Amino acid sequence: MHLLLFWLFTLIMVGFGIAVIANRNPVASALCLVVSFVGLAALYISLDAFFIGTIQILVYAGAVMVLFLFIIMLLDLRAEERRPVNWFVFAGGGALALTLLFQISYVIGRTRGAHAAFPPLTVPTDDVRNIGALLFSQFNLPFQVIGVLIFVATIGVIILSKRELR
Amino acid sequence: MLLLLVFTPIAAAILLLLGAPARTTALGAAILMFLTSLLIYSTFVFWTPGYNFVSTYPLATELHLNFALGVDGLSVLMILLTSLVTLAAVWFTGDIEKHEPSFYACLLLISAGALGAFASLDLFFFYAFHELALIPTFLLIGIWGTGDRGAAAWKITIYLATGSFILLLGLIMLYQSVPMAARSLDIRTLQAAATQIPPDAQRNIYLVLLVGFGILVSLFPFHTWAPEAYASAPAPAAMLHAGVLKKFGLYGLLRIALPLLPEGSRYWSNLLLILLLGNIIYVGLVTIAQKRLDWMLGYSSVMHMGYIFLGIAATNLIGTTGAAALMFAHGISIALLFAIAGEIRKRTGTLDFDELGGLARKMPFAALVFGIAAFASIGLPGFANFGAEVMVIFGAFRHGADMSGFHAFQIATVLALWGVVISAVYMLRAYRRTFWGAAANSHEALVDLRLMLRVPITLLIASTLWFGVSPQSFVRLVSPTLLPFLHEPNR
Amino acid sequence: MSSLLPWYALLLPLFSAALIMLLTHRLRGLSSFISVASVIASFFCCCLIFRHPDMTAPSFLWLRFQGQFKVPIGFTLDQLSRTMLVLVSGIGALIHIYSLGYMRDDEGKSRYFASLSLFMFAMIGIVLANNFVMMFIFWELVGLCSFLLIGHWFDRDAAAKAANKAFITNRLGDFGFMIGILMVWLATGSVVFDDIVPQISKITSNPGYLTTAVLLIFCGAVGKSAQFPLHVWLPDAMEGPTPVSALIHAATMVAAGVYMLVRVGFLIQTSQDALNVIAWTGTITAVMAALIATQQDDIKKILAYSTLSQLGYMIMAVGLASGEAAMFHLFTHAFFKALLFLGAGSLIAMMHHEQNIWKMGGQGKNMFITFVTFSIGTLALIGCPPFSGFWSKDAILGLAFNRNLFIFGLALFTAFLTAFYMLRLMVVVFFGKPRSPAAQSSDEAPRAMLLPLVILAIFAVIAGFNSVAGKFLTLPHERDTFSAIPVVAVGATVLGSFVAILLYRKREAEPLDLRLLRRKFFVDEFYAWLIASTQDLLARIASFTDRWIIDVGGVRGLSGATWGLGSLLRLFQVGNLQVYALIFGVGVVGLLYFALMR
Amino acid sequence: MSAPQFLEISVVLLGFAIVLVDAFATNIPKRFLAFAAIIGLTAILLATFFTATVAIDSNAVGFWSFYAFDPLALIFKRIALVTTIVVIVMIIDYAPVAAIGISGTSSEAGLGEFYSIPIFACAGMMWMASAIDFVMIFVSLELVTISFYVLVSLTRRNSLSLEAGVKYLVLSALSTGLLVYGITWIFGATGETNLQRVAQSFSASGDHTAALFGSVLIIIALGFKIAAAPFQLWVPDVYQGAPTPVTAFLSVGSKAAGIVVLLRVVSPFLALPQTETLLIGIAFLTLIYGNLAAIPQTNVKRLLAYSSIAHTGYILIALVSFSGTAVVFYVVAYLLMTLLSFHVLILVEQKGGENLEDFAGLSQRSPFLAFAMLIAVASLAGVPFTAGFMGKFQVFDAAISHRHYGLAILGVLTVACGFYYYFKIVRAMYWEAPRVAQTILIPIWTRAVMLLMIAGTFWLGVAPQRVFASLSPRVVKAVTSVR
Amino acid sequence: MITLGHYLGASAVLFAVGFAGVMLRRNIIIIFMSLELMLNAASLSLVAFSRSRVASGLPNYNAQVFVFFIITVAAAEVAVGLAIIVALFRARRTTHVEDISAMKF
């Protein structure tokens, strides 16, 4: 049963992922991306990472994708007009991606514990609480840095997209 | 005192850039340097192996880096040469049209580089001071040069930079080849630890050093930068570079390669012989075919390097002393030759043999000086070059000799002697075509050298005559320095 | 008895040369006076030295490496050198005096006298040298002076070229000389003559080495004494002022080679093979030069070839192992050849530097004293008894007769030729009618020029007598051995004279035209070809290689290749993000492969 | 004595303060903001001299497992601060040009942000200098990267600036992806993100393929940051397009931060032998590409970009030779000479352009600028008695002592190439006649900063002991302890 | 049975897809989406590793915190990136990489 769900969500994720890069229309790509991310969130949940799964939906499917779509609409991007496909780039890029995939699978094959089932969880997973505790205690410093990062990003977005600065 | 000597030109250069009166400052600095070096020469204690006037300033302990100055006989000789030629070069500078202070500053910086290299007891500064002179050379040729100055300046700069960085590699290899405990950049410490360098390391390092130094000294086949650069350089720059700075590589071989890497120099001696014969015979022939005075002088200076190499290759006291002596002697004579050639170019605007001729009639004094320098450079007795060449030839001929026949060194010596004939051919031909024969019409209004120029000319000629009449002065000065490193049985 | 006298003799001329060059070169009269005075003073020193056979002089260490190599500047003062000193300084002094007249109005007079004094210094140095290196030093200085003096009139291309030729040819000889010195030094460990003598067995024990070394030393003499095949510079050297020709190229400098061979006779005579080569070299030179002399028109050239021929005699004598005979001939030859040259100088000077004998004629009447003295010189040269040349040439002929009949024959033939060309010269120049305006209006030379002529003429007459020569030289004993030789020699001389007189009497132009001889056996042409086809060709090839292969091909090629490679690498930078991403991808995959899969 | 963590916090607070003043006090000249920033940063720089270093404890949890304050961190924090200060001075000089590029209503629009974002980037770099945990490395690196996204494309009226921004954005994000994936695999292989504990796990025996995979990806990502080949392609374009002060910041600050992280991560990674060969290969490529591709360059800004790649090559030589001292020294030297050259460039490009011909005759238009550039270029090329030479000397020293002869020889040959392209600038300045006769005015503060940098260049070139003293011996040990 | 390998494999495929997208697509917005795919693939691996490294009965939450950071950073990056793309589009009316190659060589 688990296996079935895994393959389903994996297929959704990968399939729509491929659709993202295969689609000519940016809007369709963005929508495919949302679906792919939903599949990914399901995989997170299947890994008992409920919090991550949730914020994946919230942040990506909610915020990021809206942003993407909003920009696409704002810029009024339509399907790309057909440009001649650079077959050399196409073949080369594809081959490279496949090679990379092959290399990763080679590494996975040699990874310890890759072929073992996940160990069972013996304690009830209260992951929001656990993650929160970690964030505010041990990971306090990176968390602060992230704060500054977001602040800079905010300023940056303003300064870059405002029509006329004063 | 050494500190004063090294920093006088640097300070003067800074003053010049800050706007001090150009010629006065430069000349004053040059005279001060000359007097200081005379003082060093006269108070130098002969026959003591080791260094005089040592002063050390530690700079970086992790790198074993000290600013250490000190002189032995060899360095005293080179310092004397440097200050003499600097004085002459500064004196011969005249009528610089643009950036006069910078011109003098560049000259003095070259001189500072040479002095610093010769007086340093530390490998780092030994190397660094020499390379410091590279930028002023580049600027001197590039800004104030003649002819195809751009190309020439590029070539010398890139070529010498390559050579000196190869040299740097060799020096670092050298310093790392001694065991950790004895590791130091100080030449004295290294010399004490020289026996601990394993033979195969010696061979590798010697080869790297030979290539590095060889490029700097225009060892065949790395010589093509020299004639081009000297032909394009303003005369004072050519004087300083050909007369002094080029000797750095030879000085380095004598100071570093020979004492520290005896096995290396033995192993590569045949290679060195072939290359130096390339300098003497091949470059000698090239010199004969030259059609311009400046190119001819440039090639001749390349050719004469072969003799110095021969003395170094001989690795015995006579030969190496001769090499040191010849460095001095050649420095003086080539400086004079370039100086006069520069004066001629200033007046006639050309150095093409076909457009010159009969200048002795218009410029008798210049002809006299050029003649003296030319004969000195082809090894006429009475001038320092002859005594030096005698030592080189005798030293080389003796190396590995027996009565059964001629071996590599004997054959090389014979060919080198043939080079003496070649040098007579080209030098006299040049002299004849420049100064003798019928005067070219276009040179009606030539004036002879300024009277004041007699001072530096007299100084140079007097010094070469002094050492020529008494080459034992070289021996007295240099051989105590070299003797401890030569491992030769007293025959 | 230790004395500084030899030092004075040596240094006085140098001092005067330096003084003239540094201070008085603008005052031409004073300069010439200083020079003449110093040489005369030097001559007196030499005479004093000659009178004190036990004299020694302090020496000065020129170069010394403990136990390995020592070159002192020290003097040998044996009979040989003392005689030579007197001869050199005496003739030198005469020629200085003569020059006062000859160079009276020359604008380079100061320079001339400075060079002349310098020459005296160098020549005295050679004579005094007690070791090879010192001899070599002065040997080279002599070369320099001859360069300066030949090139005195440097405006003339011919003079400039001749000066170069003289110097370079001498350098060629010195090339061998130096190697010879090196070999001797290597074998015996010394260059000082007196130190070599006890060590001589070290070198004689190896005959091949010995022969090579001796022949190489002989090379020096070949160059300096203008022996075949390095004789070519001497005739050209006649471009210099005539007193120079007399001094350098007749009496003294060219004799230096002979002197040197005699000085190192102790070494040379140990190798019979080398001696044979030397003797034959001398013989060939003697015959060849005499043959050429018969067809020359320039009076100085004739005398120059005559000098060559006589030097050949001397070398022949050395080669026949008789230094005494060589020195004897050198001694007499110095006087009569200087006399002849000075006489020729008078003729030339009085005829406004006309040197072609066919433009002269009838000078016996115009210039009587010159004629008389010149005749004495000629008689001495052709070996007419009882003039000095007779005795010395007789000694050599006798020697040759004893040692090698073939050489003797050639020597005799040379004697015949000598008489022939000298009488040709006499007849054409002094008899007949003047053949040019200058010859018609010529007048006797000034006193300063005549005085040396007379003195030299006296010596040309008497120098051959036992009573005179014996004071100076160890005379060769050959002269007394076989009485038929003088008769044969005189016969050859007389025959030559008659042929010449018959042939050239009342001639207006050269009746013979032997191109081979007139063009000096084409040796100059051959050398020109040789130099062009070897040295100059090699030089051009080397120059080409240097410019185009090493420089353009090697250096610029490398830098160009670097430049090109740089330009190629820049092509990655196409500005297209997609390409960058692709290359990035290649980098990722490549590095992963490199790290993981290898 | 102040606690080390307050250094970054002060910087961030300074940044906030500038932003707030900028937002609310609209009528003060923006230049005063810059001066305030400079004074503040200088104060913090001074404070670093009164902060004691703390040894790294591999068992620490919480703050000290992310944050190190060893001498290495300290010196890189100072490097970050100095760089930022100089960059802000540059921005003051660059303001007239920037005003054209920033689309705003007034001539000073956007300058407040231009002054403040570098401060946040500086804080990021300082955190990077201290980061000893992959999580910390990631977040601080991203802080710097995002600041640079903004800075590079800040002058957005200039389309080259935007183009540079996009190129930097895409490629940098790509490298971020690889970094994250690499960290993932390191975590997967070891279960740790703290460098000390990762190192312990690496040195255990077993199959390290996964760890190696992660390491390679991280090296690639950091290689991108420090402009190592074959991930250097963004450098010339981005350097050219970005506003020049940002280029300087990018080429010094960002690179220095990347290098300190690389220094920290290679210690564990080098336990895997393949890593060393990998780095050697990268160093080879970088040296060749940077030096050779620079040779035909005529745009000075691009030339300096290629030169920046080349210098990465030398730093990598020192890195694979395990010489932390050499790396740090080289970075310090590089900082001085690069900032100096960019500073001159800023002044020159205002009165012409950034091409070589705009430098023609600079010695006549402004002898001081020409001299400053001469020193900078001499140092970049490696002429003795300049910091650059001392740096190269140590690099070759380190290379030979680790028997990397190939690298050393290549290094030497490429130095010769370097002489060619650097001296092209000297030639233009000194040999050629100026195209415009206009002299260049140099503000007093700029002159002071340049003089300081020139003095520093010579000081480090002659007496480097101070720098070594601040490093030794602990840094050297920390870096070399692996071997 | 689902193993760690399955998740890693899925993540690898997603990563490769994103990687391919960066290299193959010429629309910057889609390239940007591909980059997001890569980041998410990394997160998936991370979560899988977190799940596989169970300590005292709990997954390794450190990794999940890291994922949280990744998501945050990615969001910020997207925001800034899109702002730049907008600015670019305003200036050049294009989002096509081939149109932004003014600087080269």
Side-chain angles (χ1 to χ4, degrees), chain B residues 156-171:
Chain B
I156 184 175
T157 309
I158 305 301
Y159 219 135
L160 294 193
T162 315
S164 49
F165 272 93
I166 291 174
L167 170 63
L168 180 65
L169 211 62
L171 292 179

Side-chain angles (χ1 to χ4, degrees), chain D residues 33-376:
Chain D
L33 297 178
F35 289 138
I38 290 167
I39 291 165
L41 289 173
T42 312
I44 296 164
L45 178 64
L46 289 178
T48 60
F49 288 94
F50 300 97
T51 315
T53 56
V54 179
I56 296 175
D57 176 11
S58 60
N59 295 318
V61 289
F63 182 81
W64 290 107
S65 75
F66 294 101
Y67 189 91
F69 199 69
D70 52 355
L72 189 66
L74 182 61
I75 194 152
F76 272 94
K77 283 183 204 297
R78 286 179 193 155
I79 290 172
L81 284 165
V82 169
T83 311
T84 315
I85 292 170
V86 178
V87 165
I88 291 176
V89 176
M90 287 184 193
I91 297 175
I92 301 175
D93 292 335
Y94 189 75
V97 183
I100 303 168
I102 299 171
S103 63
T105 49
S106 71
S107 66
E108 291 201 310
L111 280 183
E113 287 79 5
F114 207 173
Y115 292 130
S116 54
I117 296 178
I119 300 174
F120 293 112
C122 174
M125 290 169 194
M126 289 167 76
W127 271 316
M128 276 170 88
S130 284
I132 51 168
D133 185 293
F134 280 118
V135 175
M136 185 65 189
I137 289 173
F138 172 72
V139 291
S140 50
L141 191 83
E142 282 306 306
L143 171 56
V144 174
T145 308
I146 286 184
S147 308
F148 274 113
Y149 291 160
V150 179
L151 286 172
V152 169
S153 27
L154 194 66
T155 51
R156 58 192 161 98
R157 265 196 200 158
N158 178 352
S159 70
L160 289 188
S161 174
L162 274 180
E163 181 178 330
V166 170
K167 284 177 176 169
Y168 186 57
L169 174 73
V170 170
L171 293 173
S172 185
L174 181 58
S175 85
T176 302
L178 294 172
L179 176 71
V180 170
Y181 204 50
I183 295 174
T184 302
W185 277 94
I186 297 277
F187 176 81
T190 63
E192 292 292 347
T193 53
N194 179 288
L195 286 173
Q196 307 293 317
R197 296 193 277 264
V198 167
Q200 287 163 8
S201 154
F202 272 24
S203 44
S205 60
D207 184 33
H208 287 298
T209 311
L212 187 62
F213 179 68
S215 308
V216 174
L217 289 180
I218 289 171
I219 287 174
I220 289 172
L222 292 172
F224 172 86
K225 292 283 176 235
I226 65 169
F231 313 107
Q232 84 301 352
L233 288 163
W234 60 281
V235 173
D237 291 3
V238 173
Y239 278 27
Q240 187 190 349
T244 311
V246 177
T247 309
F249 204 21
L250 203 54
S251 95
V252 179
S254 168
K255 179 174 287 188
I259 282 160
V260 67
V261 172
L262 197 58
L263 262 180
R264 294 211 189 270
V265 299
V266 290
S267 307
F269 290 178
L270 284 173
L272 311 172
Q274 293 93 327
T275 326
E276 193 184 345
T277 18
L278 189 73
L279 283 170
I280 291 174
I282 293 177
F284 254 100
L285 290 177
T286 311
L287 281 173
I288 291 175
Y289 186 88
N291 281 298
L292 262 53
I295 288 177
Q297 202 47 253
T298 54
N299 180 314
V300 174
K301 219 166 157 187
R302 258 181 115 76
L303 180 68
L304 288 172
Y306 285 106
S307 123
S308 157
I309 299 172
H311 286 286
T312 300
Y314 298 112
I315 293 172
L316 283 175
I317 295 182
L319 193 77
V320 293
S321 308
F322 308 107
S323 175
T325 322
V327 173
V328 173
F329 191 89
Y330 204 98
V331 172
V332 174
Y334 176 77
L335 173 149
L336 286 172
M337 55 211 192
T338 309
L339 289 180
L340 190 55
S341 53
F342 275 113
H343 213 149
V344 175
L345 178 64
I346 285 173
L347 292 172
V348 173
E349 73 178 335
Q350 288 180 29
K351 295 280 191 283
E354 54 195 32
N355 282 320
L356 214 46
E357 57 258 37
D358 299 306
F359 277 78
L362 189 63
S363 61
Q364 286 154 53
R365 294 169 62 197
S366 170
F368 178 77
L369 276 190
F371 179 71
M373 195 67 180
L374 175 69
I375 300 302

Side-chain angles (χ1 to χ4, degrees), chain A residues 104 107-108 110-112 138-139 141-142 145-146 148-149 151-152 155-156 159-160 162-166, chain D residues 16 66 102-105 109 113 120 127 136 139 142-143 146-147 150 153-154 156 181 185 207 209 213:
Chain A
I104 300 173
V107 173
I108 294 170
R110 305 193 61 164
T111 304
R112 231 169 338 121
Q138 275 197 37
F139 284 81
L141 179 63
V145 178
I146 286 286
V148 178
L149 186 151
F151 181 74
V152 172
I155 298 178
I159 197 172
L160 285 175
K162 198 173 171 192
R163 275 198 184 274
E164 290 283 309
L165 293 169
R166 62 179 160 73
Chain D
F16 283 148
F66 294 101
I102 299 171
S103 63
T105 49
E113 287 79 5
F120 293 112
W127 271 316
M136 185 65 189
V139 291
E142 282 306 306
L143 171 56
I146 286 184
S147 308
V150 179
S153 27
L154 194 66
R156 58 192 161 98
Y181 204 50
W185 277 94
D207 184 33
T209 311
F213 179 68

